[in-house]
Amino acid sequence: GAVVSQHPSWVICKSGTSVKIECRSLDFQATTMFWYRQFPKQSLMLMATSNEGSKATYEQGVEKDKFLINHASLTLSTLTVTSAHPEDSSFYICSAPRGGLGAHTQYFGPGTRLTVL
Amino acid sequence: KQEVTQIPAALSVPEGENLVLNCSFTDSAIYNLQWFRQDPGKGLTSLLLIQSSQREQTSGRLNASLDKSSGRSTLYIAASQPGDSATYLCAVDSQGGKLIFGQGTELSVKP
């Protein structure tokens, strides 16, 4: 069964609104989670690393004020796309590592498809 | 900067064929390499994980090899089936959990 869940699985919103996406590890604790973005016909690109109890670290070119990340507990990270625009339409996927350093397997959520009109 | 490349970008084979998907990476300092499967519009399913100290991993009809020194990995699928049709992604972990993905190989197995 799924070990990482995401909610919602899809969302359609108007331009200018904010959208929150949740990522939960279901049967293990994750002090770190990762957020990826996948545009159509492209591969996954890492956006940011979500750290429980501290600030997220963002990859180069990702606006931290636009993509707000909160890792409030050991099983939940949220990504909020603020003032969404059509170019933010994408497939957002989170992952959580399980296991020791170097040997951990990344478990991915099922993804959230965001469409901004 | 780590870069991951997958060849071919797309592959179409008849059912029953054995096939090989290729993945190369530029920086050999990795923790591990993982192969994933992605169905259209869906998330990722982890297929095999090879630690940096390992040479290969096997699961059922799948076998993945890793040659860290040359920066290459292959995913071998034996006796392909239509249900194997999907996009296969390889990803390298060289920064403690941050995965760098290749562009994927879109596989189509014809019945």
Side-chain angles (χ1 to χ4, degrees):
Chain A
V3 295
V4 175
S5 69
Q6 274 185 248
H7 178 81
S9 56
W10 60 270
V11 58
I12 301 173
C13 69
K14 293 182 178 180
S15 184
T17 60
S18 295
V19 175
K20 180 186 284 188
I21 303 170
E22 294 185 348
C23 177
R24 292 182 185 273
S25 56
L26 297 181
D27 59 356
F28 66 100
Q29 294 180 336
T31 56
T32 301
M33 293 183 178
F34 301 93
W35 286 96
Y36 295 82
R37 178 168 54 183
Q38 184 179 35
F39 291 109
K41 297 294 183 181
Q42 296 187 26
S43 192
L44 280 77
M45 296 295 292
L46 179 67
M47 297 176 65
T49 303
S50 175
N51 303 298
E52 189 270 335
S54 64
K55 292 183 179 180
T57 54
Y58 292 81
E59 296 301 301
Q60 190 173 11
V62 178
E63 301 175 57
K64 62 179 182 180
D65 294 330
K66 181 169 184 62
F67 299 99
L68 302 180
I69 292 173
N70 183 25
H71 198 142
S73 76
L74 289 170
T75 59
L76 174 64
S77 174
T78 60
L79 169 68
T80 301
V81 184
T82 63
S83 186
H85 291 285
E87 58 266 29
D88 298 322
S89 298
S90 186
F91 194 50
Y92 292 86
I93 309 178
C94 68
S95 75
R98 187 177 188 179
L101 180 65
H104 48 252
T105 297
Q106 291 284 349
Y107 289 94
F108 282 79
T112 297
R113 185 161 303 282
L114 170 64
T115 301
V116 184
L117 303 176
Chain B
K1 179 184 174 183
Q2 179 74 270
E3 293 183 3
V4 181
T5 304
Q6 289 186 247
I7 295 173
L11 182 63
S12 181
V13 300
E15 181 177 5
E17 272 203 8
N18 302 322
L19 56 99
V20 174
L21 307 181
N22 297 290
C23 174
S24 61
F25 47 96
T26 55
D27 186 348
S28 61
I30 64 172
Y31 285 112
N32 59 57
L33 182 146
Q34 225 168 325
W35 283 93
F36 295 90
R37 167 185 174 139
Q38 185 176 32
D39 292 289
K42 303 292 185 181
L44 303 183
T45 300
S46 178
L47 299 174
L48 290 165
L49 179 146
I50 311 176
Q51 297 178 38
S52 62
S53 59
Q54 297 176 326
R55 298 280 297 184
E56 66 176 345
Q57 282 288 332
T58 298
S59 176
R61 294 182 293 108
L62 305 180
N63 175 276
S65 69
L66 174 64
D67 184 342
K68 209 170 65 162
S69 60
S70 67
R72 293 179 183 178
S73 175
T74 61
L75 178 66
Y76 176 82
I77 302 177
S80 58
Q81 302 170 359
D84 295 331
S85 298
T87 296
Y88 290 81
L89 296 163
C90 81
V92 168
D93 181 355
S94 54
Q95 280 190 280
K98 296 182 180 182
L99 297 188
I100 306 299
F101 283 83
Q103 291 295 96
T105 293
E106 188 174 351
L107 173 65
S108 176
V109 182
K110 306 292 186 184

